[in-house]
Amino acid sequence: MAAAACCRVLALMAIMLVAGRVSADPDMLQDICVADLASAIKVNGFVCKSNATADDFFSAALANPGATNNTFGSLVTGANVQRIPGLNTLGVSLARIDYAPGGLNPPHTHPRATEIVFVLYGELEVGFITTANVLYPKIIKKGEIFVFPRGLVHFQKNNRKVPAAVIAAFNSQLPGTQSIATTLFGASPPVPDNVLAKAFQIATPEVQKIKSRFAPK
Ligand code: MN
């Protein structure tokens, strides 16, 4: 009886260990593994380069506001493994997002990370949508934080007449971004018109009109 109870406890602990993993990226196997971004060898992440320096762990990329004079009035500046090779295998990264007045970071997902944003200045209308199709909306302002759970569609909109900015942290060295509209209407080769027309319950000319706005550069 005691042995059976013991086994149940061990089984429960094993389940908790598996379910309790908080890192989205795999665990590291050494102190550092600075990415050799130029290597032709393909692995899960990047192979380690041999002559790492402190600069591989440094970036000033987020020090200044990004240019927001674009279609959406927002700019995401990534500070991930592609810019900071020392992040390879460490399971974290940052980004800075700047918003012009009225600017939108359009609905998108990060397949490999949860995102947590801290408002540097300004005010934003933010939200994520669960797989049950429930929107979790919130207004956040300077000094406040909001969390976008891994993989869920989310957005940020600056409804004010002054700029806004956030720092975003991710539990992945390369969270990846799929922007919903660009993914569906700007893919190359293109998603067939009839797929999008039926999916969105609109006519083909409307599909083509939207596609023209998201044509691959
Ligand atoms: Mn995001």
Side-chain angles (χ1 to χ4, degrees):
M1 187 124 171
C6 165
C7 286
R8 279 200 298 274
V9 169
L10 283 175
L12 188 63
M13 284 172 68
I15 290 166
M16 286 168 69
L17 277 172
V18 171
R21 278 181 58 90
V22 291
S23 172
D25 285 1
D27 280 337
M28 55 204 291
L29 300 175
Q30 61 277 296
D31 286 354
I32 63 172
C33 175
V34 173
D36 181 354
L37 297 170
S39 173
I41 299 169
K42 299 299 178 194
V43 296
N44 189 24
F46 297 94
V47 296
C48 315
K49 71 177 187 180
S50 52
N51 51 346
T53 71
D55 280 343
D56 290 316
F57 298 85
F58 169 83
S59 174
L62 308 190
N64 299 304
T68 57
N69 56 338
N70 53 48
T71 307
F72 292 113
S74 77
L75 189 78
V76 180
T77 306
N80 55 48
V81 68
Q82 291 174 323
R83 185 165 261 149
I84 308 174
L87 283 177
N88 193 38
T89 74
L90 299 186
V92 295
S93 61
L94 289 180
R96 174 189 177 123
I97 313 169
D98 290 281
Y99 313 82
L104 170 71
N105 185 13
H108 64 278
T109 72
H110 306 290
R112 292 182 291 277
T114 288
E115 174 176 5
I116 177 166
V117 297
F118 174 85
V119 182
L120 293 174
Y121 50 81
E123 182 183 295
L124 294 164
E125 177 183 15
V126 305
F128 66 82
I129 302 150
T130 66
T131 57
N133 233 14
V134 177
L135 171 67
Y136 285 70
K138 188 77 181 169
I139 303 290
I140 57 172
K141 56 185 190 297
K142 182 179 177 178
E144 296 180 340
I145 284 169
F146 197 76
V147 176
F148 304 103
R150 178 161 66 156
L152 299 187
V153 174
H154 59 279
F155 61 87
Q156 302 104 28
K157 173 78 162 53
N158 179 8
N159 292 323
R160 297 291 176 150
K161 292 185 167 64
V162 292
V166 304
I167 292 293
F170 302 89
N171 61 331
S172 170
Q173 66 178 29
L174 192 63
T177 299
Q178 274 199 306
S179 204
I180 306 301
T182 306
T183 292
L184 290 173
F185 292 92
S188 181
V191 177
D193 285 356
N194 62 359
V195 169
L196 296 171
K198 202 164 182 68
F200 285 86
Q201 295 290 290
I202 56 177
T204 300
E206 294 172 284
V207 170
Q208 290 166 344
K209 183 180 176 183
I210 300 172
K211 275 186 171 177
S212 71
R213 308 277 167 82
F214 292 92
K217 294 177 185 93

